[in-house]
Amino acid sequence: MKVKKTVLSIKPYEAGKPISEVEREYGIKNAVKLASNENPLGFSPKVEGTIKNAVKYLNRYPENRGLREKLAEKYEVSPKNIILGNGSDEILKMFADTLLTPETEAIMTKPSFLVYDIAVKSAGATSVFIPLTDNLDTDFDVIKSKITSKTRIIFLTNPNNPTGYVIKEREFDRFIADIPEDILVIIDEAYVEFARDKEMIKSLMYMKEGANIAVTRTFSKAYGLAGLRIGYSVMPEELALMMNRVRLPFNVNSVAAVAAAAALEDERFLNESLDITHKGIDFLCKELDKMKVAFFPTQANFILIDIKRDADAFFKAMLKDGIIIRSMSSYGYPNYIRVSVGLPEENEKFLNIFEKSI
Ligand SMILES: *Cc1c(COP(=O)(O)O)cnc(C)c1O
C-alpha cells in the first residue's frame, strides 16, 4: 500500500484508559475514572424512556430533523445553520475534508485537542502549531502572524483542553476583526456549559453578525452522552451546504438523535451536573492549594496539574491504587496530569491517593 505521507505522520489518538481494563489488569474493584472529562452523574433520566421508544424503529434509517429544529430554536438560528455529527469529533474532520487540500494549512495551538491534527493530516494538509504563552494562554498575535495565503482553518478551543482557559471578549474582538474572509475560525466549545467567567466570548454572536465562524458543541460532556456519540456545529448556511456534500448520509444514529433531543430539554439535570462540577472544581482547587501544588485555573470540568515529575510514571502509580487520570505527555507536557472532576467521594479518593503519591 502507498499510504499518504501525512497519514504516516499522525500520532494515533490515545483514549483515557477504560475502567474495566484497569480493574482486570490490576485485579482491583471500584476503580475511579477521572481521565476523559465525562459526566460522573450519568445522564438525564428523560433519555432512557426516549431510547426505549426509539429502539422499536431500529429497522428504519434515522431521521434527525427534530434535533436540528430544537437546536435551531435554542440558538435562534435556522436548522440550515446546523450540522450534526457522530460526536463533534466527526464534524471537526468534516471541516478538514471540506476545506483542506495538500497545499493548505490549518493553524492550532500547541498543545491543543489532538483530534484537530488528526483531521488536518487525514485531509493531507499541514498543521501549523502555535505554542501557548508562559501562562498557557492562547497567543492571538502569534496566530495572526502565522496566517499565509495557504491558511484555510484556525482551530480555537473555548474553554481550552487541557488548560481550561477561556477566550475573552476583548482579545477576540481584536483578533477576529481582520482575519481574511477565506479562513474559517472553528471554535470548539465542548466544555462551554461549565464556564463561569463573565468575560468569555459569546461565540455564536460573531457568527450571527457575519463572521466566518463555526462553533462546535457536544452532548458528550455536560449532558453525559459520550457513549452515544452526538455533537453539533452552528455555522454560516453557505458552509453548512458544502459540509452536507461531504457528510456521509445517516452519520448520526436514530437513538443518539432522540436521546440528545430529550437531554436538551432536561434543564434540571444539566443544572445538577453543572452544580456538582463547580463544587468539585472549587473543592479540588482548595485542597491542591493547601498541598502547595501548582495547577491552572479552569473554566471546564477538569484541572491541569503541574506535578513537576514524570507524569507517565505518576499515572501508572495511581492506576495501581485504582485512580485513572491522564498523563499529559501525549500533549507535550511530560510533567503534567489532567484530572476530571468526579463525584464528591471520587474527588476525595483522588486527593487521598494523590497526596500519598506526590
Ligand atoms: C471531549 C472533547 C470533544 C468532544 O468530542 P465528541 O466527539 O463530541 O465526544 C471535542 N473537543 C474537545 C476539546 C474535547 O475535549
Side-chain angles (χ1 to χ4, degrees), residues 121-287:
K121 287 183 175 141
S122 307
T126 305
S127 297
V128 176
F129 295 102
I130 313 294
L132 295 177
T133 65
D134 290 343
N135 307 331
L136 304 193
D137 234 337
T138 301
D139 197 327
F140 286 99
D141 290 331
V142 179
I143 289 182
K144 237 181 211 175
S145 74
K146 297 290 178 188
I147 291 175
T148 69
S149 59
K150 293 182 185 166
T151 311
R152 293 291 178 277
I153 293 177
I154 299 173
F155 286 98
L156 299 173
T157 322
N158 179 56
N160 203 0
N161 175 10
T163 60
Y165 271 30
V166 295
I167 304 173
K168 307 280 197 306
E169 224 164 82
R170 206 158 16 98
E171 59 189 358
F172 193 72
D173 282 345
R174 224 162 55 90
F175 169 74
I176 199 71
D178 41 44
I179 296 294
E181 286 219 322
D182 54 0
I183 296 178
L184 175 69
V185 177
I186 298 171
I187 309 180
D188 175 352
E189 297 198 324
Y191 301 97
V192 77
E193 293 87 356
F194 299 110
R196 290 179 277 182
D197 189 334
K198 297 273 184 292
E199 289 175 46
M200 182 177 77
I201 49 165
K202 293 175 189 67
S203 54
L204 283 174
M205 195 192 72
Y206 295 90
M207 199 276 302
K208 289 180 191 173
E209 286 173 354
N212 211 359
I213 285 179
V215 178
T216 63
R217 293 188 179 176
T218 182
F219 288 93
S220 296
K221 308 285 158 61
Y223 292 94
L225 297 177
L228 271 181
R229 313 303 304 127
I230 173 87
Y232 58 97
S233 176
V234 188
M235 66 187 77
E237 195 181 322
E238 312 83 80
L239 176 60
L241 279 171
M242 294 301 129
M243 293 276 281
N244 267 324
R245 296 184 182 198
V246 169
R247 184 179 61 80
L248 293 178
F250 313 115
N251 61 320
V252 166
N253 73 74
S254 50
V255 177
V258 296
L264 205 56
E265 302 225 306
D266 191 349
E267 278 185 31
R268 195 167 136 201
F269 177 79
L270 177 66
N271 288 332
E272 270 174 46
S273 300
L274 300 186
D275 192 51
I276 200 167
T277 303
H278 294 154
K279 286 187 177 136
I281 287 281
D282 295 345
F283 171 70
L284 286 170
C285 290
K286 197 179 77 198
E287 297 300 314

Side-chain angles (χ1 to χ4, degrees), residues 1-154:
M1 285 181 297
K2 283 200 169 169
V3 175
K4 292 196 275 191
K5 254 204 205 111
T6 51
V7 169
L8 292 173
S9 71
I10 294 176
K11 242 182 39 208
Y13 184 83
E14 272 179 54
K17 223 169 160 58
I19 292 178
S20 56
E21 195 180 308
V22 173
E23 292 182 342
R24 211 176 331 112
E25 264 175 41
Y26 292 89
I28 51 174
K29 283 202 183 104
N30 306 318
V32 171
K33 186 181 177 200
L34 303 173
S36 300
N37 309 331
E38 295 149 336
N39 189 328
L41 269 187
F43 52 85
S44 159
K46 300 224 157 78
V47 165
E48 213 160 318
T50 325
I51 285 184
K52 282 211 180 94
N53 189 54
V55 162
K56 291 185 206 153
Y57 307 100
L58 287 184
N59 56 319
R60 301 292 174 196
Y61 277 106
E63 194 278 302
N64 53 38
R65 204 174 38 190
L67 175 59
R68 277 172 57 221
E69 279 170 3
K70 276 213 172 76
L71 287 165
E73 197 180 316
K74 177 176 161 79
Y75 294 118
E76 299 177 329
V77 295
S78 155
K80 292 178 184 158
N81 293 104
I82 294 175
I83 295 278
L84 302 178
N86 189 32
S88 51
D89 286 359
E90 190 199 16
I91 307 176
L92 295 169
K93 193 161 180 309
M94 257 185 248
F95 285 121
D97 290 339
T98 306
L99 299 173
L100 300 180
T101 61
E103 300 78 41
T104 61
E105 298 173 348
I107 299 180
M108 64 196 74
T109 63
K110 190 171 184 72
S112 62
F113 189 44
L114 303 171
V115 169
Y116 310 153
D117 185 44
I118 294 174
V120 171
K121 287 183 175 141
S122 307
T126 305
S127 297
V128 176
F129 295 102
I130 313 294
L132 295 177
T133 65
D134 290 343
N135 307 331
L136 304 193
D137 234 337
T138 301
D139 197 327
F140 286 99
D141 290 331
V142 179
I143 289 182
K144 237 181 211 175
S145 74
K146 297 290 178 188
I147 291 175
T148 69
S149 59
K150 293 182 185 166
T151 311
R152 293 291 178 277
I153 293 177
I154 299 173

